[in-house]
Amino acid sequence: MSADELIYSGKAKTLYSTAREGELLMEFRDDITAFDGGKKDILPGKGYCNCCVTAFLFGLLEREGIRTQLIGKIDATHLLVRSLQMIPIEVIVRNRAAGSFVRRYPFREGDTLKPPVCELNLKDDSRHDPMLNEDITVALGLATKLELREMRSIALRVNRVLSAHLERLGIVLADFKCEFGRFRGELLLGDEISMDSMRLWDALDRKSLDKDVYRYAKGDVMEVYRSVARRITSGSCG
Ligand code: 5GP
């Protein structure tokens, strides 16, 4: 598969056109950023881990009937994906209070949120991803009320599938971020689901197994990424 024209380059991934209409090549780079791009580094092997975990988890979700952008894995750092019209909204599902949630609301870190909390944020680093509600989303023309309802419902289904899979491995899915896009009249799960976009805790000691290790300098980021990628994929990554 030859990568063609560069379509979009984000903080950790690049999209290229392909010879096939409606299909793109998604490259996972070794760049890692945090705090709206305020902290950045290059960690060799990180693109490989996130590509592998995203392919595995999207495959798992597809088998559970959740439609995703993934067509197939091309090599260690590239996925073949459907070309979506992305909706610039970050849908966050929280099972445990952590991160920005405990900074904004009177919860304690680790509090269980039952039912899970679903949050919508505008994808806009320059504004620090402000929170949206239905009226603001519709006023901005980002999505219809129907699409919002569907995104929320799919995100909660994704949460159930991922939480169950991770729980069996002794990992708590504290929260995660997902993104959606339109493809031929359908709403599909897009972007990635990886250690960059999930908050994962070891069920035994609540040790961070995700990008918080990088954000808050909690240890060797690549050692954690490699070992959790192996754990999530039963050894097929790493
Ligand atoms: P928080 O709002 O607590 O900072 O983040 C909640 C969850 O969403 C965390 O798992 C975090 O990794 C994910 N998340 C929030 N914003 C972003 C983002 O801009 N990019 C990625 N990859 N994940 C994000």
Side-chain angles (χ1 to χ4, degrees), residues 127-211:
R127 294 186 166 82
H128 306 293
D129 300 345
M131 197 199 271
L132 296 167
N133 64 19
E134 196 178 81
D135 285 356
I136 301 170
T137 304
V138 172
L140 284 170
L142 301 176
T144 64
K145 286 187 184 186
L146 194 68
E147 284 177 324
L148 273 182
R149 222 165 301 148
E150 202 183 339
M151 283 195 268
R152 182 186 148 85
S153 151
I154 300 172
L156 291 171
R157 279 173 65 205
V158 169
N159 183 44
R160 286 193 288 276
V161 174
L162 296 185
S163 292
H165 175 73
L166 294 166
E167 194 184 334
R168 283 192 289 275
L169 305 169
I171 299 172
V172 175
L173 178 61
D175 57 41
F176 68 98
K177 182 266 306 179
C178 56
E179 296 182 28
F180 294 88
R182 304 179 185 100
F183 182 78
R184 298 180 183 159
E186 211 183 336
L187 209 53
L188 303 188
L189 179 69
D191 195 55
E192 69 183 294
I193 296 194
S194 69
M195 289 69 77
D196 277 13
S197 58
M198 296 184 283
R199 183 168 275 122
L200 303 171
W201 295 337
D202 194 303
L204 288 180
D205 53 15
R206 215 199 271 174
K207 272 214 177 99
S208 290
L209 305 174
D210 58 70
K211 196 152 93 172

Side-chain angles (χ1 to χ4, degrees), residues 11 90 92 94 98-101 103-104 119 125 129 175-177 196-199 211 215:
K11 284 179 285 185
E90 297 187 341
I92 293 174
R94 299 179 188 273
S100 73
F101 201 63
R103 291 196 291 276
R104 287 178 286 135
E119 229 180 278
D125 279 351
D129 300 345
D175 57 41
F176 68 98
K177 182 266 306 179
D196 277 13
S197 58
M198 296 184 283
R199 183 168 275 122
K211 196 152 93 172
R215 288 189 187 100

